[in-house]
Amino acid sequence: MAAVRRDHGDHDRADPGDQAVRPLRRGEPVRRARLILTWTALSAFAIAFIYPFVWLLSASFKPRSEVFDHRLIPETFTFDNYIQVWQEAPLALWMVNTLFVTVLAAVAVTVTSAMVAWGFAYFRFPGRGVLFSVVLGTMMLPGAVTMIPVFLIWNSLGMVGTLTPLWAQNLFGSAFYIFLLRQFFLGLPREPFEAAKIDGANNWQIFTRVALPLCKPAVVVTLLFEFQAAWTDLMRPLIYLRDSSTFTVPRGLKALLDQFGFGGEWHWEIVMTASVITTIPMIILFFLGQKHFVKGIATTGSKG
């Protein structure tokens, strides 16, 4: 009887090998196919976006005759372009000018836009919706419409030829950033602000000590957006800058392109090298702030 009982128990015990050959659950092949298609699409988009920079980086290490051979691995590898570009142009000075303008522009537009956005999100006053609609309506105006009037204003102030017009306009905020930050402020609970007011904090203290720390991801997104916009801006430097000592990087690259294009002899290797040097800071900045950038993009605008 004991032997029979043992045999019966062994028969009832689950065989581990049966789990390995169990049939797929319903819908699992479809989920796997969707996952494969998703990763394939993401990989294709990643390659499409990365390829231009990889090509630019490769071209910067090639001699002039091989710049457009479309090889990602240079046949003739040379560092002469990186030596020559510093000799042909004051690239370091241009980068310092660009950093000066970019930092001031990013900080100015972030602070002023956050103040306006906080006012629209926190305070309740008559005509708030109308005023906010007017602010958003300014986004519909093309830059070409205000280009000449703004130039005449700066010219009357004697600022043409200086770096001031490139960043001082941001002291008045930006409609896009006001909308971006307002949406984030609206998603915050009002309890911390009411508690701070009960503790005796005024409106400025509530804004600086409670609201801004809570919307750090949105602030980082605004800083990164404006940093990138100011770093790559070419239109305003073309309008306001005259002397090469005040050039920013985009304006300097345009000057390099004009300088090495005379006589039909294009030194594209120099332009490519300068482009790589000026692109690297933006890549580093994005990787340093990508955590807050992704978080800010994911949460901003979730509540209207």
Side-chain angles (χ1 to χ4, degrees):
M1 290 294 295
V4 173
R5 194 176 294 114
R6 282 197 301 269
D7 293 341
H8 182 72
D10 293 340
H11 178 73
D12 291 340
R13 189 179 298 116
D15 187 1
D18 293 342
Q19 298 178 1
V21 295
R22 65 179 178 82
L24 294 176
R25 288 178 296 180
R26 182 178 300 177
E28 188 169 349
V30 177
R31 286 192 294 269
R32 289 184 178 182
R34 289 178 179 176
L35 183 62
I36 294 174
L37 289 176
T38 301
W39 279 103
T40 302
L42 290 176
S43 301
F45 280 113
I47 293 173
F49 280 100
I50 293 175
Y51 176 80
F53 179 74
V54 175
W55 184 92
L56 179 69
L57 183 64
S58 175
S60 67
F61 291 103
K62 298 177 182 179
R64 187 188 319 167
S65 59
E66 300 177 7
V67 170
F68 294 104
D69 61 3
H70 300 294
R71 294 182 180 179
L72 296 182
I73 300 178
E75 184 177 1
T76 304
F77 197 90
T78 177
F79 285 98
D80 294 342
N81 299 332
Y82 284 88
I83 299 175
Q84 186 179 358
V85 69
W86 295 99
Q87 299 172 348
E88 298 291 345
L91 193 58
L93 177 62
W94 294 347
M95 294 186 70
V96 171
N97 293 338
T98 307
L99 184 63
F100 173 78
V101 170
T102 301
V103 171
L104 289 181
V107 172
V109 79
T110 301
V111 173
T112 54
S113 298
M115 293 171 61
V116 177
W118 169 251
F120 280 121
Y122 180 72
F123 297 104
R124 303 289 188 267
F125 55 89
R128 183 183 66 160
V130 175
L131 288 176
F132 185 67
S133 299
V134 172
V135 172
L136 292 183
T138 61
M139 297 174 60
M140 303 296 105
L141 291 175
V145 173
T146 59
M147 185 182 300
I148 295 178
V150 171
F151 174 82
L152 294 176
I153 292 174
W154 288 115
N155 188 48
S156 64
L157 296 175
M159 295 296 180
V160 174
T162 67
L163 296 174
T164 303
L166 304 186
W167 65 269
Q169 299 182 40
N170 288 359
L171 291 173
F172 303 97
S174 167
F176 172 73
Y177 297 134
I178 291 173
F179 171 76
L180 188 75
L181 292 167
R182 173 184 174 272
Q183 296 304 107
F184 197 94
F185 282 133
L186 288 175
L188 298 177
R190 295 183 67 89
E191 287 78 8
F193 309 133
E194 300 300 331
K197 183 178 291 187
I198 293 174
D199 291 339
N202 55 38
N203 291 327
W204 178 252
Q205 291 173 332
I206 294 175
F207 170 67
T208 56
R209 299 182 182 181
V210 181
L212 280 183
L214 289 177
C215 70
K216 183 179 178 181
V219 171
V220 173
V221 169
T222 304
L223 282 171
L224 288 177
F225 275 2
E226 186 59 28
F227 198 99
Q228 187 271 338
W231 186 273
T232 59
D233 184 26
L234 176 60
M235 182 60 68
R236 283 186 291 183
L238 280 174
I239 295 173
Y240 294 103
L241 301 183
R242 302 289 184 268
D243 188 3
S244 62
S245 62
T246 61
F247 282 178
T248 58
V249 166
R251 181 66 182 89
L253 290 178
K254 178 64 170 60
L256 279 179
L257 190 62
D258 296 338
Q259 175 184 352
F260 292 110
F262 290 135
E265 188 178 3
W266 294 89
H267 293 252
W268 287 109
E269 75 282 1
I270 301 299
V271 178
M272 301 295 181
T273 304
S275 300
V276 171
I277 294 174
T278 56
T279 303
I280 290 176
M282 290 305 306
I283 297 176
I284 296 175
L285 180 68
F286 175 78
F287 277 106
L288 291 177
Q290 65 174 335
K291 177 181 178 181
H292 298 290
F293 179 81
V294 174
K295 183 178 179 181
I297 290 296
T299 55
T300 300
S302 60
K303 183 175 181 179

